[in-house]
């Protein structure tokens, strides 16, 4: 996601900020900016530029045109508002007394913005960051308190995730930071101090770092850093020495981006939930969808490619069940050429991480030509699909670097669940009480996902054992079928092992002839009412020599009577448990690829964004 760099010391800050931002380019961004000040000046120079960092480097003559020894810089990956110069960070408070950069998502920024508007604040951008900067300024002035108390008051009011780096006009040479759920590291040397979203940005200046914890603040001055908790009490921390090399540092210590992104899923899901669940209810106001439109729908068409299509398959099961509405799922490349018969009062939902996939875009345009409203479920703000759809429901996964999608897929599922609950509610299929229960189940998912990740060593062991497999089959029914499709795709794209997913009941209509001694068959068994039926299909495979892996929830221990190896995930609401079950399968694909020596982040023949049909 966004990248933050801050520096205070004796050197010119701008070149250091730009060099640091260059090291954070891997995080993905669509605009950049810096704010720099001199100890002698009380104004701050802010320079921003949309597009590549190179634009900002050229605009500032590699920093030379922005003198000053204290500053903050930012690469923005758009979440609230298009990637324009106005929306780029840093943002300044209404009278430029506070300047800051932010990484994360402020869920209640609309409510905070309204409060500040009532107090005469003026906003120039569409960002949640500008709201945060002004909120700090508001408390700073209202109570005439120091920065710690002003920031702490703002932290108490802000819901969501943030790493904030701020400069105050009346505190030259100081950078103030605050953190909740967004990464931030602070480095120090004898004469300087640094803050960054990730270690690579500061690694060439120092290996001595502090890790600021959640709900903590820090004050940086040249050569010194002090930390404070929300009560304003000073907190003492030990320095850590970074021993990684620069390349490992970019991946946050993970061996590959894919593994890092698998681990980012609880955060991606939490951020996405935070955007569509407010005060215990689904809130789709940010998408533009209205209750009237949702109530009037007679059919939904879901379209995507690859993993996005697999989200559509899950969505069919979930939406038909929870909202009692017919759903058709199509591969975009098929939909666009098959003259689809779209009934009236329909909604077309296109799902795409990149928002640029050529076939998905063509399907969107076809639907619009036919006068059907289109909802886009998109990860990249300002992408073509995001701009052309009638309603846009962003996912908040952050940029994905690994070609094989993981966290964007998980965030897309969350959007589908939120849509299903809201559709079910407005159509009178689920009661308010049931909505409340379902929302609690959704809110519990990130912690449960983190629990699944704790179990990864067992999967790693199993992957090493099966890395030489020739064929792998994934089977399941209902939601488990949808998860099997995605698990199988992960396996084939990054391990190059032939694998296929089948609806469990379909296996005996041909595919079972491929089962030989030792063929691995993975049964996904999270749907309790369908479990016995899938187990029967697994037994049929075992009778023909298959080696069985079962994937189920804790409690279903009798699976071990049939399966040779079983992986458990926490119990969860049956419509949502796919969000947990997919993680072991992502890990299985990943570790199998690693065991085979595949370049898992960039598997052969594949592209992250497929902009040709
Ligand atoms: C490519 C990627 C897949 C992705 C698909 C759709 O094939 O390798 O991981 O699922 O495109 O991409 P989209 O950006 O539309 O979600």
């Amino acid at each position: 996601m966004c990248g933050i760099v801050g520096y205070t010391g004796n050197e010119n800050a701008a070149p250091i900020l730009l060099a640091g931002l260059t090291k954070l380019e891997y995080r993905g961004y669509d605009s950049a900016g810096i704010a720099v000040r001199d100890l002698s000046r009380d104004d701050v120079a802010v320079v921003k530029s949309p597009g590549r960092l190179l634009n900002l480097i050229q605009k500032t003559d590699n920093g030379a045109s922005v003198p000053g020894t204290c500053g903050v810089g930012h690469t923005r990956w758009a979440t609230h508002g298009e990637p324009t110069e106005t929306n780029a960070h840093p943002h300044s408070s209404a009278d430029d007394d506070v300047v800051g950069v932010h990484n994360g998502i402020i869920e209640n920024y609309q409510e905070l913005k309204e409060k500040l508007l009532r107090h005469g604040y003026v906003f120039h951008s569409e960002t949640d960051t500008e709201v945060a900067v002004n909120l700090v300024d508001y408390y700073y002035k209202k109570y005439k308190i120091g920065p710690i108390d002003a920031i702490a008051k703002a932290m108490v009011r802000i819901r969501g995730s943030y790493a904030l780096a701020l400069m105050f006009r009346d505190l030259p040479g100081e950078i103030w930071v605050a953190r909740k759920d967004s990464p931030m590291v602070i480095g120090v040397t004898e004469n300087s101090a640094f803050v960054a979203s990730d270690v690579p940005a500061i690694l060439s200046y120092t290996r001595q770092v502090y890790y600021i914890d959640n709900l903590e603040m820090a004050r940086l001055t040249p050569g010194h850093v002090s930390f404070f908790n929300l009560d304003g009490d000073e907190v003492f921390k030990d320095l850590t020495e970074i021993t990684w090399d620069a390349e490992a540092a970019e991946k946050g210590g993970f061996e590959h981006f894919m593994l890092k992104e698998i681990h980012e899923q609880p955060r991606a899901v939490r951020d996405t939930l935070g955007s569509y669940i407010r005060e215990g209810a689904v809130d789709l106001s940010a998408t533009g969808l209205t209750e009237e439109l949702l109530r009037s729908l007679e059919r939904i068409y879901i379209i995507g490619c690859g993993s996005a299509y697999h989200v559509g398959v899950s969505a069919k099961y979930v939406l038909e069940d929870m909202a009692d509405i017919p759903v058709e799922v199509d591969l975009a490349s098929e939909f666009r050429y098959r003259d689809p018969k779209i009934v009236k009062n329909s909604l077309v939902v296109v799902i795409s991480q990149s928002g640029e996939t050529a076939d998905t875009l063509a399907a969107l345009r076809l639907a619009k030509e036919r006068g059907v409203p289109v909802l886009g479920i998109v990860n990249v703000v300002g992408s073509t699909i995001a701009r052309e759809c009638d309603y846009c429901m962003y996912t908040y996964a952050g940029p994905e670097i690994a070609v094989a999608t993981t966290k964007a897929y998980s965030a897309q599922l969350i959007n589908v669940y939120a849509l299903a609950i809201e559709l079910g509610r407005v159509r009178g299929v689920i009661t308010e009480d049931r909505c409340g229960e379902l929302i609690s189940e959704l809110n519990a998912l990130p912690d449960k996902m983190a629990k699944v990740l704790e179990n990864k060593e067992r999967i790693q062991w199993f992957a090493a054992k099966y890395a030489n497999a020739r064929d792998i089959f994934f089977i399941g029914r209902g939601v488990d079928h949808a998860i099997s499709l995605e698990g199988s795709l992960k396996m084939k794209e990054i391990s190059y092992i032939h694998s296929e997913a089948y609806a469990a009941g379909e296996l005996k209509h041909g595919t079972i002839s491929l089962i030989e001694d030792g063929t691995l068959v993975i049964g996904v068994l999270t749907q309790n009412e369908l479990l016995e039926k899938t187990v029967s299909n697994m037994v049929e495979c075992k009778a023909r020599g298959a080696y069985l892996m079962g994937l189920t929830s804790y409690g279903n221990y009798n699976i071990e009577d049939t399966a040779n190896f079983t992986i458990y995930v926490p119990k969860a609401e049956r419509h949502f448990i796919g969000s947990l079950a997919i993680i072991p399968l992502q890990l299985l694909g990943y570790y199998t690829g690693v065991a085979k020596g595949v370049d898992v982040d960039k598997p052969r023949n594949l592209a992250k964004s497929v902009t040709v049909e």
Side-chain angles (χ1 to χ4, degrees):
M1 275 193 130
C2 306
I4 289 179
V5 186
Y7 167 80
T8 180
N10 304 329
E11 311 275 324
N12 259 345
I16 295 173
L17 299 177
L18 292 169
L21 292 177
T22 308
K23 297 283 186 202
L24 297 181
E25 278 190 288
Y26 75 89
R27 296 166 70 84
Y29 68 99
D30 34 46
S31 58
I34 53 173
V36 178
R37 69 176 297 177
D38 224 318
L39 297 190
S40 57
R41 274 198 348 244
D42 80 345
D43 65 321
V44 175
V46 178
V47 191
K48 313 198 259 194
S49 183
R52 308 308 297 167
L53 191 56
L54 194 60
N55 300 343
L56 184 67
I57 292 174
Q58 284 167 351
K59 196 169 175 179
T60 59
D61 189 15
N62 201 13
S65 68
V66 199
T69 55
C70 178
V72 292
H74 190 266
T75 42
R76 172 172 187 253
W77 197 76
T79 57
H80 295 76
E82 306 276 303
T84 58
E85 180 162 337
T86 312
N87 286 332
H89 302 205
H91 289 285
S92 308
S93 62
D95 51 13
D96 293 337
D97 282 346
V98 185
V99 179
V101 292
H102 162 229
N103 172 17
I105 291 172
I106 295 172
E107 291 162 13
N108 57 337
Y109 81 104
Q110 281 294 9
E111 168 197 325
L112 297 171
K113 189 170 184 173
E114 278 154 28
K115 169 192 164 74
L116 291 166
L117 283 168
R118 285 198 297 277
H119 288 280
Y121 279 81
V122 180
F123 292 89
H124 305 284
S125 76
E126 300 159 84
T127 64
D128 50 349
T129 306
E130 196 182 6
V131 175
V133 170
N134 278 295
L135 192 67
V136 171
D137 178 74
Y138 168 75
Y139 287 125
Y140 194 56
K141 288 182 179 139
K142 178 173 179 186
Y143 296 108
K144 311 243 176 311
I145 45 183
I148 295 181
D149 295 313
I151 298 170
K153 277 198 186 303
M155 288 167 81
V156 169
R157 287 300 309 271
I158 290 172
R159 281 204 313 275
S161 59
Y162 49 83
L164 274 170
L166 304 165
M167 295 191 295
F168 292 76
R169 187 200 289 266
D170 55 4
L171 300 170
E174 298 187 15
I175 298 173
W176 288 80
V177 304
R179 171 182 182 233
K180 178 173 172 268
D181 292 336
S182 284
M184 196 178 229
V185 63
I186 292 171
V188 66
T189 69
E190 209 179 318
N191 307 314
S192 61
F194 301 82
V195 58
S197 302
D198 204 352
V199 172
I202 59 176
L203 206 56
S204 50
Y205 307 102
T206 180
R207 289 183 169 269
Q208 305 295 318
V209 303
Y210 293 106
Y211 287 102
I212 177 169
D213 284 321
N214 261 345
L215 294 173
E216 285 185 347
M217 294 163 277
R219 171 180 180 253
L220 282 65
T221 54
H224 189 74
V225 184
S226 20
F227 294 88
F228 306 89
N229 63 20
L230 261 190
D231 292 332
D233 297 329
E234 189 161 358
V235 179
F236 296 93
K237 289 182 184 290
D238 291 330
L239 271 174
T240 304
E241 173 155 6
I242 299 290
T243 51
W244 311 328
D245 62 26
E247 200 196 316
E250 270 190 16
K251 294 172 188 147
F254 289 101
E255 201 181 335
H256 296 99
F257 282 112
M258 184 177 174
L259 189 60
K260 179 169 182 258
E261 287 161 5
I262 288 174
H263 281 78
E264 283 172 351
Q265 291 182 108
R267 199 270 310 139
V269 164
R270 202 173 279 124
D271 281 352
T272 306
L273 281 172
S275 298
Y276 300 114
I277 298 203
R278 291 175 206 273
E279 282 148 28
V282 174
D283 177 355
L284 300 184
S285 54
T287 67
L289 287 169
T290 60
E291 287 199 13
E292 291 66 42
L293 177 78
L294 295 180
R295 206 172 289 120
S296 71
L297 294 179
E298 288 172 38
R299 189 170 294 241
I300 295 179
Y301 298 82
I302 304 185
I303 297 153
C305 300
S307 300
Y309 168 75
H310 296 159
V311 171
V313 179
S314 283
K316 177 178 170 66
Y317 293 113
V318 174
L319 283 163
E320 289 194 337
D321 217 23
M322 286 175 57
D324 194 23
I325 186 164
V327 176
E328 285 185 28
V329 194
D330 255 301
L331 291 161
S333 52
E334 288 296 306
F335 181 87
R336 66 180 290 194
Y337 291 120
R338 78 170 168 81
D339 188 16
K341 305 297 168 229
I342 306 178
V343 298
K344 67 174 178 21
N345 296 332
S346 308
L347 178 71
V348 166
V349 180
V350 294
I351 306 180
S352 175
Q353 186 283 128
S354 61
E356 302 294 348
T357 301
D359 283 323
T360 313
L361 183 59
L364 174 155
R365 288 176 177 160
L366 174 67
K368 286 188 77 173
E369 260 169 48
R370 304 258 177 116
V372 190
V374 178
L375 168 70
I377 294 183
V378 182
N379 198 41
V380 179
V381 173
S383 57
T384 312
I385 292 177
R387 281 186 275 115
E388 293 195 15
C389 62
D390 302 291
Y391 306 96
C392 191
M393 189 178 187
Y394 283 113
T395 45
Y396 292 93
E400 246 184 0
I401 313 270
V403 165
T405 180
T406 52
K407 61 177 181 169
Y409 167 89
S410 285
Q412 288 162 356
L413 279 181
I414 295 300
N415 281 18
V416 163
Y417 301 157
L419 187 63
I421 296 175
E422 186 60 354
L423 260 172
R425 186 187 70 80
V426 302
R427 295 163 64 83
V429 185
I430 40 183
T431 61
E432 297 284 343
D433 283 355
R434 181 73 185 131
C435 280
E437 284 166 23
L438 291 167
I439 286 166
S440 308
E441 284 280 344
L442 282 187
N443 285 330
L445 284 177
D447 287 346
K448 291 182 185 176
M449 294 172 97
K451 284 236 148 23
V452 178
L453 288 165
E454 282 169 15
N455 218 354
K456 59 178 183 253
E457 275 77 19
R458 276 195 83 219
I459 299 166
Q460 186 173 14
W461 169 83
F462 186 71
K465 189 168 142 82
Y466 262 86
N468 292 321
R470 198 185 64 183
D471 307 291
I472 301 181
F473 295 95
F474 292 72
I475 59 171
R477 290 166 187 259
V479 165
D480 289 338
H481 170 227
I483 299 307
S484 299
L485 289 169
E486 179 60 6
S488 169
L489 182 65
K490 289 285 93 76
M491 180 59 75
K492 72 182 106 187
E493 63 188 339
I494 50 176
S495 77
Y496 310 156
I497 294 175
H498 166 247
S499 92
E500 291 187 52
Y502 280 91
E506 186 62 15
L507 204 68
K508 60 168 82 68
H509 298 291
T511 312
I512 201 162
S513 64
L514 298 174
I515 305 293
E516 294 175 354
D517 232 14
T519 305
L520 177 58
V521 175
I522 299 178
V524 185
L525 305 154
T526 68
Q527 304 294 299
N528 282 350
E529 73 287 10
L530 298 168
L531 187 146
E532 279 182 11
K533 297 198 180 300
T534 303
V535 168
S536 303
N537 302 127
M538 290 169 74
V539 171
E540 289 159 9
C541 296
K542 197 173 191 176
R544 286 152 183 87
Y547 185 92
L548 300 181
M549 173 180 144
L551 172 56
T552 188
S553 54
Y554 285 108
N556 292 331
Y557 302 115
N558 52 4
I559 299 297
E560 292 186 23
D561 298 341
T562 309
N564 304 89
F565 177 76
T566 309
I567 290 286
Y568 296 96
V569 297
K571 285 192 165 75
E573 208 283 332
R574 69 187 171 95
H575 296 99
F576 307 154
I577 196 164
S579 288
L580 306 180
I582 192 58
I583 294 176
L585 300 185
Q586 294 168 339
L587 288 166
L588 188 62
Y590 169 78
Y591 283 122
T592 310
V594 171
K596 292 189 69 176
V598 171
D599 179 359
V600 289
D601 283 338
K602 292 194 205 75
R604 69 185 178 207
N605 307 341
L606 298 178
K608 182 76 185 154
S609 181
V610 182
T611 51
V612 291
E613 66 174 287

